Amino acid sequence: MNENEAAVRPASRKEKRPTARKDMTKIGWTLHEMRRGKMGYFLVAPFMILFFIFTVLPVLLSIFFSFTIFNMLEPPEWIFLDNYISLFLDDDIFLIAVKNTLIFASITGPGSYLLSLLFAWFINELTPKLRSVMTLFFYAPSISGGAYMIWQLMFTTDQHGIVNGLLMKAGVISQPIAFFQNPDYIFPLIIVIALWTSLGTSFLVFIAGFQTVNRDLYEAAAIDGIRNRWQELWYVTLPMMKPQMMFGAIMAITGSFGFGGIITALVGFPSPDYCAHTIMHHLSDYGGTRMEMGYASAIAVILFFMMIGANLLVRKLLDKVGK
Amino acid sequence: MAKERVSKLRIRKSNHALNRSAAGDFGINLMLLIFAAFMVIPLIYSIMQAFKPLNELFLYPPRFFVVSPTLKNFKDLFRLMGTSWVPFSRYIFNTAFIAIVGTFGNVMLSSLAAYSLAKLKYPGRKFLFNMIVYSLMFNSTVTGICNFLTISWLGLVDTYFAIIIPAWCSTTGLYLMKQFMESSVPDEVLESARLDGASEARVLWTIAMPMVKPAWLTLIIFSFQGLWGTGASIYIYSEQLKSFSYAMGQVLAGGIARSGAGAASGVIMMIVPILVFVVSQSNIIETMSTSGLKG
């Protein structure tokens, strides 16, 4: 794969740089370049070997196992598409998981992305000291370990929880509400908590991005007829920040598909009526508990393509910024 | 005409920033304030809980602020630690070992690979970097199942290395390092060092690495923060190999009688990464400024 890709590249530039390579074949030139660049391979190898073992290989193996029945004890048995067929036709809980994951990701993904972008922009207008304090405030929830458990304490089932206690004292409710047991409350609460913890790497990327925009551009834009801050953001700032927005989007999308752990910690597994059951939960149920590796791999493959698909879609959308 | 505009601009700029209305400023700062409160109140509340004596923890109606702060919860926590079956210092050692060895390996391997991808030319390096970018687009849930198989085949189950080695090849760090290296280490400097006869290892170590100090500080912090939070892992079942975060979680799971100690443990878990970020904020922001993905 690697060599094939490499073999194509120098040929496409053949016209631009007529050098000694004219005398060689494509493959000969590539080998020559590879020999010259052996230090590069040598330095990149340790990382790439581990990366291959722990990231590339698992993806390829998952795709293979997803066509089999595999319980880790006996050798895998080839059943082709049966896992996928039973996922979509027989497994009602999987369909709930898909629905929940899609709703959850389509709210928290764009939500966290827009919050990060908007607040990074607001914060950028502050004085440097205030800016670093505000950055800390917004970023802290995403790094403070299990701090989201405090939400469980705030929404405790009895009157000692601060939310129930205050609502009861104010006379809004007479009985404490079991927030984390009632499906009506769980989903919105989880989304709020997910957004609370989601101003992470992409937020920092935007904070840094706004600072790198050249100030002179704003004066030039004002002369060209930019009249308010929103126009300035859309036509001047964001196009300059497109690379950062690209990277921020990747981080936000990957994050929005990965909140399963927080959900389990807050509402337990399985959640009441499967109201917060996501594909991640289904995956760890079959892969971790039931040891049905073939079936679990099929779930993993679907999740993989959902995430890659969402990323490629968003990259397309981001091309429209500033137009 | 244009000249007139410019002078107008200058005048406006002297009393107010470009394209900013006072009403807009007010609205935006109000929103900023409301959301900042939303972000911080839960964190402040958990600190408050940690300093409340037992009767305040179970007060009705509940109060947000602590009235008579006490250190009793922290004392209880340390007493609980003293009575645990595995000495508590062992949990701290486990987390420290995993965090230090994992972070060191990640920074070393990422630096070597980033230098190679950013500054050396050889067939296939674009392909390798594209693979790294694609790997950022999905999370470890997808690879989890097969990694369980790989780690058992390698015989790493129930060792520190089941957590450490996968951490060595975390791609976010490599990505950030490569982007930073590409934009802040000029090729000419490296070239002139090579002409002076410096070996590639020497160029990397004495010229490139000092120039990307913000990037490797950022890597250290991200990697440390990730590993510090390592909780219960499916790879580790021996009690004496489990992490600090796991042990803290056990305190929290101890029920109502331990509410106070649980709150104290939560504060300890969250204060460390926050302090680390406070110290390193400017370096991290500098690294992030080059993190953009073109295309």
Side-chain angles (χ1 to χ4, degrees), chain B residues 112-145:
Chain B
L112 296 180
Y115 178 72
S116 167
L117 290 174
K119 292 295 168 191
L120 300 176
K121 300 210 171 6
Y122 49 87
R125 69 172 186 147
K126 269 227 176 78
F127 172 75
L128 292 177
F129 183 64
N130 281 340
M131 277 211 310
I132 300 290
V133 171
Y134 271 92
S135 82
L136 296 173
M137 295 186 187
F138 56 91
N139 60 34
S140 56
T141 338
V142 171
T143 53
I145 291 184

Side-chain angles (χ1 to χ4, degrees), chain B residues 2-20:
Chain B
K3 236 178 193 174
E4 230 169 74
R5 265 256 175 89
V6 170
S7 61
K8 242 189 215 162
L9 275 171
R10 290 265 154 74
I11 294 162
R12 246 177 67 194
K13 207 181 150 201
S14 59
N15 44 27
H16 208 273
L18 224 51
N19 285 328
R20 296 291 182 269

Side-chain angles (χ1 to χ4, degrees), chain A residues 40-41 125 196 229 243-244 254, chain B residues 20 25 39 116 123 136 289 293:
Chain A
Y41 295 112
E125 316 250 304
W196 183 70
R229 72 178 84 210
Q244 275 94 350
T254 313
Chain B
R20 296 291 182 269
D25 277 346
M39 298 306 277
S116 167
L136 296 173
S289 66
L293 177 64

